[in-house]
């Protein structure tokens, strides 16, 4: 029984996969349905949803199409979440593998660095980094990754500590492989599955962090994001609450889809380990 079959037997995993598939489709098709800049004025201001076929979800205070912003915002949110997670996973997995495999003073030094980063909450670290460096897409990705790499590092280290004394690692030492080559080629691939399962949680956190930064005006000003749309709607919350509610629903569905997907993936990996 493959991992995919075990995953598809999980109702939570299937539901999460469907939700994420829909959201990714929306993000990929944004430029097809709305090739114009979503920040451009498209119609009358503050048009309510379902009042005009040209603007199914209405328009904001400046007359920008809410549906266009929602679809382009999905692309921005998912791109930032996935990119920040990849950076955090790569850095964390490498640091954790080196720390766990080397041991001794190297392990102590790297873990103290991890502790130093974990002292400060990830959102505050991202907030400070963006405030100092400046708001741009790349800076936001690095800022989020800066507060998210410690989890994969600790998990990878724990896995490596249980792997490094196994027979195939000892055999690699005997045939004269360099310790760094053993760590990267032999140990790291076997320590990755739990770290990859953590990745979905990091994506959800990254999406929410990006939305919070954009809500505070620290996102990329040249991009439409769900956080910036919620912030825009805050100014007319009493008269046009849909401007904040619609992107808020998008955020909820994204995080829910990622959570359900991670639940299904975790169950599939757990069953795989039990059978192994």
């Amino acid at each position: 029984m493959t991992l995919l079959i075990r995953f598809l037997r999980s109702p939570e995993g299937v539901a999460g996969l469907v939700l994420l598939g829909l959201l990714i489709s929306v993000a990929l098709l944004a430029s097809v349905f709305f090739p114009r800049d979503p920040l451009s004025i498209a119609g009358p201001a503050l048009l309510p949803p379902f009042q005009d076929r040209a603007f199914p979800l209405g328009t904001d205070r400046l007359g920008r199409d809410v549906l266009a912003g929602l679809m382009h915002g999905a692309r921005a949110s998912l791109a930032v979440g996935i990119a920040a997670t990849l950076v955090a996973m790569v850095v964390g997995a490498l640091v954790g593998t080196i720390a766990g495999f080397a041991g001794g003073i190297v392990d102590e030094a790297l873990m103290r660095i991890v502790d130093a980063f974990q002292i400060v909450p990830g959102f505050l670290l991202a907030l400070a980094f963006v405030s100092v460096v400046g708001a741009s897409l790349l800076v936001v990705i690095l800022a989020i990754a800066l507060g998210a790499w410690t989890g994969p590092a600790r998990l990878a280290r724990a896995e490596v500590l249980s792997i490094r004394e196994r027979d195939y690692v000892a055999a690699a030492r005997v045939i004269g492989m360099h310790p760094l080559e053993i760590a990267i080629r032999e140990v790291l691939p076997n320590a990755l599955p739990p770290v990859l399962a953590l990745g979905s949680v990091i994506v959800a956190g990254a999406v929410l962090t990006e939305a919070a930064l954009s809500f505070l005006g620290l996102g990329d000003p040249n991009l439409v994001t769900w956080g910036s749309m919620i912030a825009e709607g805050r100014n007319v919350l009493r008269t046009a609450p849909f401007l904040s509610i619609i992107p808020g629903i998008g955020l909820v569905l994204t995080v829910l889809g990622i959570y359900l997907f991670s639940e299904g993936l975790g169950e599939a990996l757990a069953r795989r380990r039990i059978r192994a």
Side-chain angles (χ1 to χ4, degrees):
M1 186 185 299
T2 64
L3 180 63
L4 178 60
I5 294 175
R6 285 192 292 270
F7 176 82
L8 293 177
R9 287 187 174 181
S10 167
E12 297 90 349
V14 173
L17 185 63
V18 170
L19 268 177
L20 289 179
L22 290 174
L23 289 167
I24 292 171
S25 299
V26 165
L28 293 177
L29 294 173
S31 295
V32 176
F33 289 106
F34 300 100
R36 294 178 55 188
D37 184 358
L39 292 174
S40 62
I41 297 174
L46 292 178
L47 185 68
F50 313 118
Q51 298 294 317
D52 189 330
R53 290 183 179 180
F55 307 103
L57 296 182
T59 58
D60 66 5
R61 292 190 306 162
L62 299 178
R64 295 174 295 195
D65 191 344
V66 174
L67 180 58
L70 188 69
M71 294 185 70
H72 282 272
R75 174 186 294 180
S77 295
L78 290 175
V80 170
I82 293 172
T85 300
L86 288 176
V87 174
M89 297 279 285
V90 170
V91 174
L94 287 175
V95 170
T97 300
I98 294 171
F101 190 76
I105 190 171
V106 175
D107 184 20
E108 285 294 323
L110 290 176
M111 286 301 100
R112 297 298 75 78
I113 294 174
V114 171
D115 291 339
F117 274 89
Q118 284 190 317
I119 289 174
V120 183
F123 175 70
L124 292 182
L125 194 61
L127 184 65
F129 186 81
V130 174
S131 299
V132 172
V133 179
S136 70
L137 185 63
L138 180 60
V139 171
V140 170
I141 290 172
L142 293 177
I144 295 172
L146 197 63
W149 69 273
T150 55
R154 285 195 173 278
L155 186 55
R157 174 180 177 270
E159 289 293 315
V160 169
L161 288 175
S162 67
I163 291 173
R164 67 179 184 179
E165 302 301 330
R166 294 184 182 177
D167 292 341
Y168 64 88
V169 178
R173 290 195 185 99
V174 170
I175 64 175
M177 288 180 66
H178 191 277
L180 185 59
E181 186 180 4
I182 297 173
I184 301 300
R185 292 184 57 184
E186 302 293 334
V187 177
L188 179 58
N190 293 287
L192 276 181
V195 179
L196 293 176
L198 181 64
S200 55
V201 178
I202 298 176
V203 172
V207 169
L208 290 175
T209 301
E210 185 278 328
L213 291 173
S214 297
F215 181 81
L216 295 174
L218 294 174
D220 191 329
N222 299 315
L223 290 176
V224 175
T225 66
W226 288 340
S228 63
M229 292 177 69
I230 294 172
E232 173 69 21
R234 173 186 55 182
N235 298 316
V236 288
L237 194 59
R238 290 181 180 273
T239 56
F242 66 92
L243 293 178
S244 292
I245 292 174
I246 290 173
I249 292 174
L251 275 175
V252 170
L253 291 177
T254 301
V255 174
L256 179 62
I258 294 171
Y259 170 76
L260 292 174
F261 179 84
S262 66
E263 284 289 306
L265 183 59
E267 288 181 12
L269 290 173
R271 290 174 187 171
R272 181 181 180 182
R273 289 194 166 193
I274 291 173
R275 289 181 177 273

